[in-house]
Amino acid sequence: MAVSRVLLLLLFWVASTVCDSHIKPSEFLCNEVERQRLNQAENLCKVMDNCSDLTQPLSSQIRLPDTKIHKKTWEKIHFKDRMAEVLQSLRNLVQDVEAARERMQSGCGSSLLERLEHNARNYQGILTHPSVADEVERLHPGEMSRPPIIQKSSSDLKQILRYFDNLLKGKLEWLMTELDVGCH
């Protein structure tokens, strides 16, 4: 039983590493299917269910992004502020998960946190890639951005994964929809 859990974890890790490591920013901007494929939150939740060292909450808190969207309010915010909010949420996730992983002994839980951190770093890398930055500047010249305020945190990994998934499927997807005008 334990061997099958390790093999399952290893299979998911290999699949996520191979699948998401070489996506081009243009593919990310212009292809919703590629963006969805890159999101590993649901897979990580499934792996977590078989991970015995994650039966307790994490030893530290992870800052959670605000994932609620009120369309009219969202549209009134400058695009670069919305982009800054998503990027800051990803930065916070990477920093907090890295710190939590350092406090955890090696094993299934540590490996899962490493994958979450890797996935969030992939999104950061794509969103800060020069071609994406150029597209943002072309569509929204001269806008200034200010970092958002993060208010909630959690040590419940399922909740953290749910918020990460909601961020990717919500605010990030809305941003990409606005940027994909150059794709057609």
Side-chain angles (χ1 to χ4, degrees):
M1 186 74 167
V3 173
S4 65
R5 285 183 182 167
V6 171
L7 288 175
L8 179 65
L9 180 64
L10 183 61
L11 177 65
F12 275 118
W13 179 78
V14 169
S16 70
T17 304
V18 171
C19 291
D20 65 4
S21 61
H22 291 46
I23 187 170
K24 294 178 186 172
S26 61
E27 290 173 356
F28 184 81
L29 285 175
C30 300
N31 190 333
E32 182 179 354
V33 173
E34 285 297 315
R35 288 193 300 272
Q36 291 171 355
R37 185 184 59 79
L38 187 62
N39 181 355
Q40 292 294 310
E42 288 178 23
N43 289 342
L44 294 176
C45 266
K46 291 174 188 170
V47 171
M48 188 182 146
D49 290 338
N50 295 317
C51 192
S52 61
D53 51 337
L54 286 175
T55 56
Q56 301 294 319
L58 297 174
S59 61
S60 59
Q61 296 282 311
I62 308 291
R63 290 169 284 184
L64 300 175
D66 176 14
T67 58
K68 293 179 183 160
I69 302 174
H70 181 260
K71 187 170 170 72
K72 298 244 186 236
T73 306
W74 178 255
E75 290 171 345
K76 289 178 184 175
I77 300 169
H78 285 296
F79 183 87
K80 287 183 181 175
D81 286 339
R82 290 180 272 158
M83 183 77 133
E85 179 181 339
V86 171
L87 280 168
Q88 187 61 49
S89 295
L90 291 169
R91 280 186 202 103
N92 291 342
L93 182 68
V94 166
Q95 289 171 354
D96 295 350
V97 167
E98 184 177 39
R101 194 168 48 86
E102 288 173 0
R103 290 185 189 100
M104 184 176 276
Q105 296 198 354
S106 63
C108 177
S110 178
S111 185
L112 189 135
L113 289 175
E114 184 177 3
R115 287 183 51 208
L116 175 58
E117 180 186 339
H118 176 75
N119 198 226
R121 282 186 195 276
N122 280 341
Y123 280 102
Q124 268 186 288
I126 290 168
L127 292 176
T128 57
H129 190 275
S131 64
V132 174
D134 290 347
E135 186 68 7
V136 169
E137 192 56 40
R138 185 182 72 76
L139 294 172
H140 304 277
E143 278 185 17
M144 299 302 289
S145 66
R146 59 186 194 284
I149 299 170
I150 306 296
Q151 299 172 351
K152 293 167 80 173
S153 61
S154 176
S155 59
D156 177 357
L157 191 53
K158 275 203 189 262
Q159 182 182 27
I160 294 162
L161 290 170
R162 192 170 44 252
Y163 270 76
F164 180 56
D165 189 48
N166 289 343
L167 175 71
L168 300 178
K169 289 179 178 174
K171 291 182 176 182
L172 177 72
E173 193 57 40
W174 280 25
L175 285 174
M176 295 304 101
T177 301
E178 288 183 58
L179 283 178
D180 82 355
V181 294
C183 301
H184 308 288

